[in-house]
Amino acid sequence: SCCSKDTISFHYVEAAENIAFWNILQKVQQQSDGISDEQIKETMTQDWPKRPNVGAYAKPLPASQSPIWNDMIQVIRKISSGVSS
C-alpha cells in the first residue's frame, strides 16, 4: 500500500476552513499544560467560518450539543500531535 492508514488529506478544504484548522491545531499543540475539550470546541466555534462564508466543500459546525463534537475533538487531538510550527 502507498499510504499510511493514518493519512489525512485536506484536498477539498478551502482557505477559511484551513485557517481555522491551523489555528486550533496550533493552540492545542502550544498548550503544554493541556487544553480542555470545551476550549477546543470554543476555539473551533470562534474560528470556523459562518454562513455565507463557509466554503463550497465545507459545512457549518454541528450544533453545540451534538454528539459529533466528541469525535471531532478526538480527531483534532490526534492531528495536533503531529503538527509542528
Side-chain angles (χ1 to χ4, degrees), residues 24-74:
I24 188 59
L25 295 175
Q26 289 295 301
K27 186 169 188 173
V28 171
Q29 186 185 41
Q30 292 169 359
Q31 296 283 339
S32 59
D33 58 345
I35 184 171
S36 71
D37 289 354
E38 190 60 34
Q39 288 173 304
I40 291 174
K41 186 175 172 182
E42 287 172 9
T43 301
M44 287 188 71
T45 301
Q46 288 172 355
D47 290 356
W48 198 258
K50 316 266 186 297
R51 290 195 191 270
N53 298 319
V54 175
Y57 295 104
K59 294 186 178 190
L61 292 173
S64 63
Q65 299 304 317
S66 173
I68 195 83
W69 274 105
N70 294 329
D71 294 335
M72 289 175 53
I73 290 168
Q74 291 310 309

